[in-house]
Amino acid sequence: MTTATALTGVIPPVCTPLTPDFEVDTGSLTRLVDHLLDGGVDGLFVLGSSSEVAFLPDGHRAIVLDTVLGHVGGQVPVLAGVIDMTTPRVLEHVRAAVKAGVDGIVATAPFYTRTHPVEIDGHFRTIAGQAGLPLYAYDLPVSVHSKLGADLLLGLAADGVLAGVKDSSGDEAGLREVILGRRERSDIGSFSVLTGSELTVDSALWMGADGVVPGLGNVDPHGYTRLFRSASEGDWEAARTEQERLFRLFGLVRAGGARMGAGSSAMGAFKAALHLRGIIDHPTTALPQIPLDGDETGRVGAYLAAAGLL
Amino acid sequence: MTTATALTGVIPPVCTPLTPDFEVDTGSLTRLVDHLLDGGVDGLFVLGSSSEVAFLPDGHRAIVLDTVLGHVGGQVPVLAGVIDMTTPRVLEHVRAAVKAGVDGIVATAPFYTRTHPVEIDGHFRTIAGQAGLPLYAYDLPVSVHSKLGADLLLGLAADGVLAGVKDSSGDEAGLREVILGRRERSDIGSFSVLTGSELTVDSALWMGADGVVPGLGNVDPHGYTRLFRSASEGDWEAARTEQERLFRLFGLVRAGGARMGAGSSAMGAFKAALHLRGIIDHPTTALPQIPLDGDETGRVGAYLAAAGLL
Amino acid sequence: MTTATALTGVIPPVCTPLTPDFEVDTGSLTRLVDHLLDGGVDGLFVLGSSSEVAFLPDGHRAIVLDTVLGHVGGQVPVLAGVIDMTTPRVLEHVRAAVKAGVDGIVATAPFYTRTHPVEIDGHFRTIAGQAGLPLYAYDLPVSVHSKLGADLLLGLAADGVLAGVKDSSGDEAGLREVILGRRERSDIGSFSVLTGSELTVDSALWMGADGVVPGLGNVDPHGYTRLFRSASEGDWEAARTEQERLFRLFGLVRAGGARMGAGSSAMGAFKAALHLRGIIDHPTTALPQIPLDGDETGRVGAYLAAAGLL
Amino acid sequence: MTTATALTGVIPPVCTPLTPDFEVDTGSLTRLVDHLLDGGVDGLFVLGSSSEVAFLPDGHRAIVLDTVLGHVGGQVPVLAGVIDMTTPRVLEHVRAAVKAGVDGIVATAPFYTRTHPVEIDGHFRTIAGQAGLPLYAYDLPVSVHSKLGADLLLGLAADGVLAGVKDSSGDEAGLREVILGRRERSDIGSFSVLTGSELTVDSALWMGADGVVPGLGNVDPHGYTRLFRSASEGDWEAARTEQERLFRLFGLVRAGGARMGAGSSAMGAFKAALHLRGIIDHPTTALPQIPLDGDETGRVGAYLAAAGLL
């Protein structure tokens, strides 16, 4: 992958398996990578939100980078999240990722601080200037509490700052504005539009998106690659049918109900599913997330069974 | 300061002076500490929001800790912020702060993740269990996007988890609920209620708060200590007059107007004021914040002059 | 239209033309209705947000109902919004609409008050019980500040309370949850899912939505009916091409820029476009909205020209 | 009360008693007015949020105006809320209130629509121009979803548009900005600053506010007038003690817990308290609010008993 070739296809955000004492479980992590590669994915995104990056100390982040890059060995491109509050802290993660040998980096706008579009613009320019690697903007308002506008993204694309965007905003009209703007502006070269909305992948591809970064793709990578291949071949009916099956499967993220945060419930369910499928050794999630109990795990299993995954 | 003695008085969040190439300016930092001590402050809070902690890489955080602790030498207690997204990352900062020899630590609820009161409760319990030092909760919804409720805080106080709270929520009824709850519950020992709302300090103290953590206290520590002493002596008229003077001075935070974020404008103004007063060498703020221009700095100077500080 | 037949197709929210002294311009209103019928629409929705219902006193609402119902004479079903803060006030509008002879009514959740799903449920049940006409829920979080969940909607559908939903939330995953839930639950009879997101109509129909309520359909009803017919005939490429043309046209809503609210700008642009196309006599919008100036109106004209509508 | 004399003191928002079939209970309403006058209040505010104005059809609003104005007979000034979505609808309520003979009117910014400060400014100017009576701005972001800034309010005050503000925002620094701005601007004549934050009345008065509009004042008007009189006489300790007693009493608003909205719970508790105290005949709240059950009403009674009100 270089800046000259836009990233396309299914690039799951790789979960980070943990041991019961909250260390990175590298054995499980390589098995998970094999599971994803076996699923036919087109790339891997480590240290994203579904990787519990917000919960990983720098040492754990380094282990993840080394483990995955060492195991993948260039079979597919590996992107790394450099998630932190502001430019100087993000740059530290960029240095670590570049040194580890990733193929691209993924950064959000600043958060925790009260920011401004001009500052967000400068943030991405500084990061790109120091990374020397394709930079992808990560639009995740539920975590970052600001939205990346189409004008901002397209301006940065035209200046060669951004190689693409992962849009997890759920704002499909905004996604389309970026897709159409990219098509109509002659000053934009290669720019990948990837959706992080795993429940509307068929329609995002239909609008012209290049790929998807689905958290649920950890559990069922084969489903997402089938979806993407069907769409690529113009078999939209098949793509929709696959998406609808995955939509139903996605119900597992609510296993934890109201006794925990939505993040705990979703992460707990993804890991419970991977554990039930025999891919990772422990369903442990990082603190202070609440673990699923037996009933809740049973509910996850029922979703897997209904989707033909058990 | 021990857990047996509640923290009281004026504990400013210490700004972090930077050189023009964005390194920690330790010479300016020690002069700023001297300025604050000369102002009669009762403690120092390093690595808080007004310290640009969100912009400081871990290496810079360590320099700040070492510089300030070395310089203060126990004259007043020094609290340190351990601001990061979740428990495991916060614990790394706790270890660094404990090793550096701080007197207490200040932590927010998890952010970036979607969290839940039960998870926030667990978060503080885990941190307190590992710190072995007084732990203060930092309530800052504008950055953290959740509010710490009185029931949560008082429960943690009763269990000896929290030594106090820094309430920067601006919710004065909520602040009062904590103050009255603390008074009425017999199971709560020492628990400091500090307001971070620098414009309503007289009324917070009137309600029963123990002290204040004012960002503007960098610029005018003498003003805040006069305010606190007046209130302590029961001279509420003098306290109010001082607060009103500081209220007018606070207008400087809007110097940057709408061309930058509110954070850039406020930090830029605090540092411009410290530079104009001759306390720090450079008004540099961390990236991606926008620097104040000449006109904007002039406006800061006018506020200082009007307040009798130039 | 009865409860036995689900509403489908293009049902634009009819703008309310005003005279320069802010009275309902009934002559322009009937011309607008003719324009929409000429465009082949399948129904009309009066007194919706794009009708400036929030700005219309009850007397004006009555004039709109009488004018449109009298003019349409049953050629297509006419739905009426009954937009007000809570159940008792909504019921007054329901009585007026029923008396005027509408074919269905459209109500939001309570707003201005702090509400709760159980109260929203009761709200719709009370309205349906008194209306004796098909009731459509209007999901518009940008105005109402709550979101109608799929479980709530599907439960009300199963109980025969709701005949459908107009989903203007922009939450396409939520829209899909309703569509799939409707399909999978055997206890739900006729239930129309209409999208109010005028920029993603092709994908909403692709997911299984029954129709669209497009504000922009006032300006270009022929475009939206072409889009819907193409999709109905399975010519999704043509539907997408039409949608993309309409997407570009939609840019006119930003004509007013930042000197006014987004509502003023969008309403001003819709009315300027209808005026420029010769359909209504005055581009007047209701107070306190800011009128577009000459330059801004010129920008609207340029969008019309680019879309082949001038 | 004229524009020349600023409104001061305790002006409770008068609850609207209802019969079990949801009609205005005028007998209970006049008894409630007598109860408030007996409590020594300085004015009455009918058709505010605590009057369930959002739930009252226009006919009920008229009955309330006529009943209260007829009964009060000029003993104290009566203000009336004209709560509706936008200027034209508000003007209808203004006409009714003026005709009924009120002494002042109270209006919020537009809601339901997406608005802008310039539009809000025009909104108040239009209302004042047509009312010919003192106009008070009602700042209630929890319902209106925008905040009235100090600059906007003070500009309207200087132009004679506004006679005052009822600030229910809970933003005490913002309240103080208005109070200090009023004092420092020579172009502002009479302008009343009233707090709607019933839990921080002592501190608001301390800052310089002129009075309070306390929902809880329905239940215990004597408490709020004692608080105000103490503050007026400079006995701030007594004012604080009274405020703390009222703070504890306010806990009754949470009687309904999480099974209903916060509005239902608070309104239900106010009315249950008035019913338990023998002032109104029925604790009925308007639809779709959830009524308190027996246990919840018992909890309200316990709060009354603890406050010495039963």
Side-chain angles (χ1 to χ4, degrees):
Chain A
M1 191 198 73
T2 74
T3 49
T5 315
L7 197 64
T8 64
V10 178
I11 304 110
V14 184
C15 283
T16 307
L18 299 176
T19 64
D21 55 349
F22 304 111
E23 297 298 324
V24 178
D25 177 352
T26 54
S28 290
L29 179 53
T30 55
R31 279 203 303 283
L32 173 55
V33 166
D34 287 337
H35 164 66
L36 298 172
L37 294 174
D38 179 73
V41 303
D42 302 284
L44 296 171
F45 171 34
V46 298
L47 305 180
S49 298
S50 296
S51 317
E52 294 173 274
V53 66
F55 301 85
L56 299 180
D58 291 356
H60 286 192
R61 294 189 186 198
I63 292 170
V64 168
L65 284 172
D66 289 344
T67 303
V68 172
L69 285 162
H71 193 69
V72 169
Q75 301 175 69
V76 296
V78 176
L79 311 185
V82 289
I83 308 305
D84 217 314
M85 295 174 250
T86 62
T87 319
R89 290 187 63 84
V90 166
L91 288 177
E92 301 274 304
H93 300 297
V94 168
R95 274 185 279 276
V98 169
K99 197 173 156 200
V102 303
D103 300 290
I105 60 180
V106 184
T108 68
F111 53 91
Y112 188 87
T113 68
R114 292 172 291 168
T115 190
H116 185 280
V118 172
E119 294 167 19
I120 296 172
D121 184 271
H123 175 71
F124 284 120
R125 287 179 194 275
T126 302
I127 296 169
Q130 300 214 7
L133 279 181
L135 172 62
Y136 299 85
Y138 191 177
D139 193 18
L140 186 67
V142 72
S143 291
V144 175
H145 300 284
S146 66
K147 171 85 183 84
L148 300 177
D151 287 348
L152 178 83
L153 290 170
L154 295 171
L156 289 167
D159 290 351
V161 173
L162 291 180
V165 62
K166 181 201 166 186
D167 183 339
S168 296
S169 70
D171 175 358
E172 299 300 284
L175 178 73
R176 192 163 219 165
E177 190 177 355
V178 174
I179 290 169
L180 295 184
R182 172 183 66 168
R183 190 190 302 166
E184 286 164 19
R185 286 180 63 154
S186 58
D187 58 350
I188 296 177
S190 170
F191 184 74
S192 286
V193 179
L194 308 172
T195 180
S197 297
E198 58 220 302
L199 304 180
T200 52
V201 180
D202 54 340
S203 59
L205 296 173
W206 171 254
M207 289 179 191
D210 302 295
V212 57
V213 185
L216 186 63
N218 283 278
V219 178
D220 191 4
H222 302 78
Y224 277 99
T225 55
R226 274 197 301 272
L227 195 176
F228 184 77
R229 301 309 163 216
S230 296
S232 301
E233 295 160 4
D235 187 352
W236 293 98
E237 299 274 353
R240 183 173 57 188
T241 300
E242 190 65 41
Q243 176 67 84
E244 291 177 353
R245 190 185 63 84
L246 291 162
F247 195 106
R248 285 184 291 266
L249 174 60
F250 190 75
L252 55 78
V253 303
R254 289 192 280 264
R259 76 174 186 95
M260 61 184 69
S264 282
S265 179
M267 281 314 309
F270 285 172
K271 287 188 156 177
L274 288 169
H275 185 234
L276 289 168
R277 295 199 72 191
I279 297 155
I280 67 174
D281 285 341
H282 314 283
T284 309
T285 52
L287 292 177
Q289 294 172 98
I290 310 289
L292 299 190
D293 64 23
D295 281 355
E296 292 158 351
T297 301
R299 236 171 284 153
V300 172
Y303 275 102
L304 291 178
L309 296 175
L310 264 199
Chain B
M1 190 198 75
T2 74
T3 49
T5 314
L7 197 63
T8 64
V10 178
I11 305 109
V14 185
C15 284
T16 308
L18 298 177
T19 64
D21 57 347
F22 305 111
E23 295 299 323
V24 178
D25 177 353
T26 55
S28 291
L29 179 55
T30 55
R31 279 201 305 282
L32 173 57
V33 166
D34 286 337
H35 165 67
L36 299 172
L37 293 175
D38 179 74
V41 303
D42 302 284
L44 296 172
F45 171 33
V46 298
L47 305 179
S49 298
S50 296
S51 317
E52 295 174 273
V53 67
F55 300 86
L56 298 179
D58 291 357
H60 287 192
R61 294 190 186 198
I63 293 170
V64 168
L65 285 172
D66 289 345
T67 303
V68 172
L69 286 162
H71 193 69
V72 169
Q75 299 173 70
V76 296
V78 177
L79 311 185
V82 289
I83 309 304
D84 217 315
M85 296 175 249
T86 64
T87 319
R89 290 187 62 84
V90 167
L91 288 177
E92 301 274 305
H93 301 296
V94 168
R95 273 186 279 275
V98 169
K99 197 173 156 201
V102 302
D103 300 289
I105 60 180
V106 184
T108 68
F111 53 92
Y112 186 89
T113 67
R114 292 172 292 169
T115 190
H116 184 280
V118 173
E119 295 166 19
I120 297 173
D121 185 272
H123 175 70
F124 284 120
R125 287 179 193 274
T126 303
I127 295 170
Q130 301 215 6
L133 279 180
L135 172 63
Y136 299 85
Y138 191 178
D139 193 17
L140 186 66
V142 73
S143 291
V144 175
H145 301 281
S146 66
K147 171 87 183 84
L148 300 176
D151 287 348
L152 178 82
L153 290 170
L154 295 170
L156 290 167
D159 290 350
V161 173
L162 291 180
V165 61
K166 181 201 166 188
D167 183 339
S168 297
S169 70
D171 174 359
E172 299 300 285
L175 178 74
R176 192 163 220 167
E177 191 176 355
V178 174
I179 291 169
L180 295 183
R182 171 182 65 168
R183 189 190 303 165
E184 286 163 19
R185 287 179 64 154
S186 59
D187 58 349
I188 296 177
S190 170
F191 184 74
S192 286
V193 180
L194 308 172
T195 179
S197 297
E198 58 219 302
L199 304 179
T200 52
V201 179
D202 55 339
S203 58
L205 295 173
W206 172 255
M207 290 179 191
D210 302 293
V212 57
V213 185
L216 185 63
N218 284 277
V219 178
D220 190 5
H222 302 79
Y224 277 99
T225 56
R226 273 196 302 271
L227 195 175
F228 184 77
R229 302 308 163 215
S230 297
S232 300
E233 295 160 4
D235 187 352
W236 292 99
E237 299 273 352
R240 183 173 58 187
T241 300
E242 190 65 41
Q243 176 67 84
E244 291 176 354
R245 191 185 63 82
L246 290 163
F247 196 106
R248 285 186 290 267
L249 174 61
F250 189 75
L252 56 77
V253 302
R254 289 192 281 263
R259 75 174 186 96
M260 62 184 68
S264 282
S265 179
M267 280 315 307
F270 286 173
K271 287 189 155 178
L274 288 169
H275 184 235
L276 289 168
R277 296 199 72 191
I279 296 155
I280 67 174
D281 287 340
H282 314 283
T284 309
T285 52
L287 291 177
Q289 294 172 99
I290 311 290
L292 298 190
D293 64 23
D295 280 357
E296 291 157 355
T297 301
R299 236 170 283 153
V300 171
Y303 275 102
L304 292 178
L309 297 176
L310 264 198
Chain C
M1 189 198 73
T2 74
T3 49
T5 315
L7 196 63
T8 64
V10 178
I11 304 110
V14 185
C15 284
T16 307
L18 298 176
T19 64
D21 56 348
F22 304 111
E23 296 299 322
V24 178
D25 177 352
T26 56
S28 290
L29 179 54
T30 55
R31 278 201 305 281
L32 174 56
V33 166
D34 287 337
H35 165 66
L36 298 172
L37 294 175
D38 179 72
V41 302
D42 302 284
L44 296 172
F45 170 34
V46 297
L47 304 179
S49 297
S50 295
S51 318
E52 293 174 272
V53 66
F55 300 86
L56 299 180
D58 292 356
H60 286 192
R61 294 190 185 196
I63 292 170
V64 168
L65 285 173
D66 289 345
T67 303
V68 172
L69 286 163
H71 193 70
V72 169
Q75 298 173 70
V76 296
V78 177
L79 311 185
V82 290
I83 309 304
D84 218 315
M85 295 175 251
T86 63
T87 319
R89 290 187 63 83
V90 166
L91 289 177
E92 301 273 305
H93 300 297
V94 169
R95 274 186 279 275
V98 169
K99 197 173 155 199
V102 302
D103 300 290
I105 59 180
V106 184
T108 69
F111 53 94
Y112 187 88
T113 66
R114 292 171 291 170
T115 191
H116 185 280
V118 173
E119 295 166 19
I120 296 172
D121 185 90
H123 175 71
F124 284 120
R125 288 178 193 275
T126 303
I127 296 170
Q130 300 213 8
L133 279 180
L135 172 63
Y136 299 85
Y138 191 177
D139 193 17
L140 186 66
V142 72
S143 291
V144 175
H145 300 282
S146 66
K147 170 87 184 85
L148 300 176
D151 287 349
L152 178 83
L153 290 170
L154 295 171
L156 290 167
D159 290 352
V161 173
L162 290 180
V165 62
K166 181 201 165 188
D167 183 339
S168 296
S169 70
D171 173 358
E172 299 300 286
L175 178 74
R176 192 164 219 164
E177 190 177 354
V178 174
I179 290 169
L180 295 184
R182 171 182 66 169
R183 191 191 302 167
E184 285 163 20
R185 286 178 64 154
S186 58
D187 57 350
I188 296 177
S190 170
F191 184 73
S192 286
V193 180
L194 307 172
T195 180
S197 297
E198 57 219 302
L199 304 179
T200 52
V201 179
D202 54 339
S203 59
L205 296 173
W206 171 255
M207 289 179 191
D210 302 294
V212 57
V213 185
L216 186 63
N218 283 277
V219 178
D220 190 5
H222 302 78
Y224 276 100
T225 56
R226 273 196 302 270
L227 195 175
F228 184 77
R229 301 310 160 215
S230 295
S232 300
E233 295 161 3
D235 187 352
W236 293 98
E237 299 275 351
R240 183 173 58 187
T241 301
E242 191 65 41
Q243 176 67 85
E244 291 177 354
R245 191 185 62 83
L246 290 162
F247 196 106
R248 286 184 290 266
L249 175 61
F250 190 75
L252 54 77
V253 303
R254 290 192 281 262
R259 75 176 187 95
M260 61 184 69
S264 281
S265 179
M267 280 314 308
F270 285 172
K271 287 188 156 179
L274 288 169
H275 184 235
L276 289 168
R277 295 199 73 191
I279 296 156
I280 67 174
D281 286 341
H282 313 283
T284 310
T285 52
L287 293 176
Q289 294 172 98
I290 310 290
L292 298 191
D293 63 23
D295 281 356
E296 291 157 353
T297 301
R299 236 172 283 154
V300 172
Y303 275 102
L304 292 177
L309 296 175
L310 264 197
Chain D
M1 190 199 73
T2 74
T3 49
T5 315
L7 197 64
T8 63
V10 178
I11 304 110
V14 185
C15 283
T16 307
L18 298 176
T19 64
D21 56 350
F22 304 112
E23 296 299 323
V24 178
D25 177 351
T26 55
S28 290
L29 179 54
T30 55
R31 278 201 306 282
L32 174 55
V33 167
D34 287 338
H35 165 65
L36 298 172
L37 294 175
D38 179 72
V41 302
D42 301 285
L44 296 171
F45 170 34
V46 298
L47 304 179
S49 297
S50 294
S51 317
E52 294 173 272
V53 66
F55 301 85
L56 299 179
D58 291 357
H60 286 192
R61 293 190 186 198
I63 292 170
V64 168
L65 285 172
D66 289 345
T67 302
V68 172
L69 285 162
H71 193 70
V72 169
Q75 298 173 71
V76 295
V78 176
L79 311 186
V82 290
I83 309 305
D84 217 316
M85 295 174 250
T86 63
T87 319
R89 290 187 64 83
V90 167
L91 289 177
E92 301 272 306
H93 300 297
V94 169
R95 274 186 278 276
V98 169
K99 197 172 156 200
V102 302
D103 300 291
I105 59 180
V106 184
T108 68
F111 54 91
Y112 187 87
T113 67
R114 292 172 291 170
T115 192
H116 185 278
V118 173
E119 295 166 18
I120 296 172
D121 184 271
H123 175 71
F124 284 120
R125 288 179 193 274
T126 302
I127 296 170
Q130 300 214 6
L133 279 180
L135 172 63
Y136 299 85
Y138 191 177
D139 194 17
L140 186 66
V142 71
S143 291
V144 175
H145 300 282
S146 66
K147 171 87 183 84
L148 300 176
D151 287 348
L152 178 83
L153 291 170
L154 295 170
L156 290 167
D159 290 350
V161 173
L162 290 180
V165 62
K166 181 202 166 186
D167 183 339
S168 295
S169 69
D171 174 358
E172 299 300 284
L175 178 74
R176 192 162 220 166
E177 190 177 355
V178 174
I179 290 168
L180 295 184
R182 172 181 66 167
R183 190 191 301 166
E184 287 164 19
R185 287 179 64 154
S186 59
D187 58 350
I188 296 178
S190 169
F191 184 74
S192 285
V193 180
L194 307 172
T195 179
S197 297
E198 58 220 301
L199 304 180
T200 52
V201 179
D202 55 340
S203 59
L205 296 173
W206 171 254
M207 289 180 191
D210 302 294
V212 57
V213 185
L216 185 64
N218 283 278
V219 177
D220 190 4
H222 302 79
Y224 277 100
T225 57
R226 273 195 302 270
L227 195 175
F228 184 77
R229 302 309 161 216
S230 296
S232 300
E233 296 161 3
D235 187 352
W236 293 99
E237 299 275 352
R240 183 172 58 187
T241 300
E242 190 66 40
Q243 175 66 85
E244 291 176 354
R245 190 185 62 83
L246 290 163
F247 196 107
R248 286 185 289 268
L249 174 60
F250 190 76
L252 56 77
V253 304
R254 290 192 280 262
R259 75 175 186 95
M260 61 184 69
S264 281
S265 179
M267 281 314 309
F270 286 172
K271 287 188 155 178
L274 289 169
H275 185 235
L276 290 168
R277 295 198 72 191
I279 296 155
I280 67 174
D281 286 341
H282 314 283
T284 309
T285 52
L287 293 175
Q289 293 172 100
I290 311 290
L292 297 192
D293 63 24
D295 280 356
E296 292 158 352
T297 301
R299 236 171 284 153
V300 172
Y303 275 102
L304 292 177
L309 297 175
L310 264 198

